[in-house]
Amino acid sequence: MVLKKRTAIFISGNGSNMKNLVKFSKKKNAPIKVDFVISSNKKSKSIQFLKKNKIYYKIFDFKRKNKDEKKIFEILKKRETQLICLAGFMKILSESFIKRFKGKILNIHPSLLPKYKGLNTHERAIFNKEKFSGCTVHFVNSKLDSGKIIIQKRVKINKKDDPKSLSKKILKQEHLLYPKALKKILSRT
Ligand code: GRF
């Protein structure tokens, strides 16, 4: 039997990666159990999904980051969270928060890191006439999109691609890559 890690997912927007991870976590051999979701956006389209799937969730807008992080930390402690997956989470966590969960926070980023850290990755990749972009799952450290890379997937950029079409293609790969990354790091623990 697989011992599933109690996992929290942090989101900000659509939450398609979160939904995909929830779906994945329900598989018998998945190494995670999604126990808790934090959204920094109360308008996230995912709230309905969370309600329907009876997943415990909280909204923190991070306007008072220190205060919110303290509250989040308390919840994570209480729920004995073992892993945090950032999935389209657009806030930057403080160094002290990251240190407390050292090696236990993962992020997915829509580029082939170390290229195109930060925002507007697809626009920049197309502008620079890159032949490939892709996505990366990595550990989170205190520098933006700079932690140890776990796994990457390359995606071809066609001449006709615009940021929207490229983002769609990459997102599809993200949904395959995040579960793969989790299996890669958790299958031996
Ligand atoms: C994804 O491309 C993610 O990598 C990026 O933002 C997008 C959000 O997707 N950071 P979703 O919210 O998981 O649908």
Side-chain angles (χ1 to χ4, degrees):
M1 209 183 74
V2 187
L3 264 183
K4 298 192 177 211
K5 296 259 186 221
R6 292 172 71 82
T7 301
I9 305 180
F10 291 14
I11 62 170
S12 296
N14 282 331
S16 71
N17 275 294
M18 179 276 288
K19 287 180 191 164
N20 182 62
L21 286 180
V22 168
K23 204 169 122 199
F24 165 68
S25 73
K26 289 180 177 163
K27 290 187 180 161
K28 203 172 148 217
N29 288 319
I32 61 159
K33 174 192 186 306
V34 179
D35 177 61
F36 176 37
V37 172
I38 283 176
S39 174
S40 68
N41 172 9
K42 66 172 188 276
K43 289 187 184 139
S44 169
K45 287 177 193 155
S46 305
I47 306 297
Q48 276 312 318
F49 171 89
L50 294 167
K51 284 185 182 161
K52 208 171 142 199
N53 283 272
K54 297 191 171 53
I55 294 171
Y56 181 70
Y57 73 92
K58 286 263 180 209
I59 292 162
F60 290 98
D61 60 17
F62 279 74
K63 280 189 183 135
R64 298 161 87 180
K65 187 161 149 174
N66 277 346
K67 226 173 155 192
D68 283 355
E69 282 192 348
K70 262 186 201 147
K71 284 188 197 157
I72 294 169
F73 183 71
E74 285 311 315
I75 305 172
L76 295 172
K77 212 164 71 177
K78 205 166 145 193
R79 299 187 77 85
E80 297 178 9
T81 302
Q82 296 171 294
L83 189 77
I84 298 174
C85 292
L86 309 183
F89 182 64
M90 303 306 282
K91 304 286 175 184
I92 295 176
L93 295 166
S94 72
E95 210 171 324
S96 66
F97 187 94
I98 293 167
K99 269 190 187 150
R100 279 170 157 170
F101 284 95
K102 199 165 177 261
K104 290 179 181 149
I105 311 180
L106 269 57
N107 182 40
I108 186 150
H109 184 76
S111 79
L112 290 174
L113 289 173
K115 278 189 165 181
Y116 306 112
K117 296 172 183 175
L119 298 174
N120 305 320
T121 54
H122 309 309
E123 284 83 349
R124 287 186 283 146
I126 290 171
F127 182 82
N128 287 342
K129 300 194 169 32
E130 297 280 3
K131 288 198 166 64
F132 293 95
S133 187
C135 43
T136 304
V137 178
H138 64 95
F139 287 105
V140 171
N141 64 12
S142 53
K143 284 195 196 136
L144 184 71
D145 300 327
S146 298
K148 190 170 176 249
I149 291 170
I150 298 165
I151 193 167
Q152 295 186 301
K153 174 74 187 176
R154 219 160 63 141
V155 173
K156 190 164 176 4
I157 305 180
N158 295 325
K159 287 222 168 72
K160 280 186 191 158
D161 272 322
D162 58 16
K164 203 171 160 197
S165 65
L166 182 59
S167 120
K168 211 169 150 189
K169 273 201 288 192
I170 291 179
L171 192 62
K172 214 168 152 189
Q173 293 306 320
E174 289 182 41
H175 295 165
L176 300 173
L177 198 68
Y178 222 150
K180 246 190 187 173
L182 290 165
K183 279 190 196 158
K184 186 173 172 188
I185 60 159
L186 297 173
S187 56
R188 276 163 286 136
T189 53

